[in-house]
Structures are given as structure tokens and as C-alpha cells.
Amino acid sequence: MKLSFQGNQVIHPGGELEAQYPVQEARFLVGKIVVIYDYMAFPQDAPARNLFAYDQSGGLIWRAEDIGQGRTDAYVNILSEAPLKVGNFSGFEVELDASTGKVLNKVFTK
């Protein structure tokens, strides 16, 4: 389920989440608020690791792993919810464990 968001705020079924960075995309998945932040808000000389999952009270559940692409490693969009697959700036489709944020698989698509 897509959530509404504006700037650093995500509105979800249980209330509102004040986010750390500008929100690029947010979804409600299996009781978690999954947020992709704008990768430009992160240091430009390292992987952004800009995909986070929170509980409905705003507590951090996980921060997704990077995929080893260095400074161009950033998540850009959610491609599917089940399984959780996200697009990566470096041209990868990345499957993540929705419970832990661990990378399960990555496929180069460019």
C-alpha cells in the first residue's frame, strides 16, 4: 500500500512518521513502513544506504544493506512488494528480505 508523504513526513495507517531525510517513496508492507529517502541527502562519496523500515511508532526495524557498488550505490524505487524488490541507481534490481533488510539477490538490468 502506497503511503502519502511530503518532505520529511510520512502519513501511514497508524499516524505520522517524522523522517530523517526528504522522502522519495514510502510503502506500508507487512506491518512495516518502508521508506526510500532521497539519495542526494546522503554523503556523495559513499553508498547511500537510503532504504529503511520502521514500525508504526517510528522505531527503526532495519536499514537495507548496500550491494557493493561504492558511491553510486543508492536505492531509487520499489519495484514489487512481495517479494520486496527495489531499483538501484547502479542499474540493479535488488531483492531484499523484508524482515531484515538483507540483500537476497541482485540482477544487473542495464
Side-chain angles (χ1 to χ4, degrees):
M1 165 194 316
K2 287 189 178 183
L3 303 177
S4 60
F5 57 88
Q6 182 174 359
N8 291 28
Q9 187 175 47
V10 178
I11 299 153
H12 60 86
E16 297 177 4
L17 169 70
E18 195 64 36
Q20 298 170 309
Y21 307 98
V23 176
Q24 186 168 314
E25 188 170 357
R27 303 271 182 106
F28 191 70
L29 306 173
V30 194
K32 297 175 191 65
I33 302 160
V34 177
V35 178
I36 296 177
Y37 292 117
D38 181 351
Y39 63 86
M40 294 302 290
F42 291 77
Q44 301 300 299
D45 59 348
R49 292 192 60 213
N50 60 326
L51 175 60
F52 291 72
Y54 301 93
D55 61 28
Q56 290 191 48
S57 64
L60 179 65
I61 298 172
W62 51 255
R63 182 178 184 180
E65 296 179 321
D66 67 74
I67 63 166
Q69 296 302 302
R71 64 188 195 122
T72 61
D73 202 347
Y75 295 106
V76 293
N77 61 334
I78 296 173
L79 302 171
S80 80
E81 295 182 4
L84 178 56
K85 291 185 178 182
V86 294
N88 177 279
F89 184 81
S90 297
F92 287 85
E93 179 179 290
V94 182
E95 182 177 351
L96 297 162
D97 182 327
S99 300
T100 65
K102 301 258 184 230
V103 173
L104 299 175
N105 190 29
K106 63 182 180 180
V107 176
F108 188 66
T109 60
K110 280 190 179 177

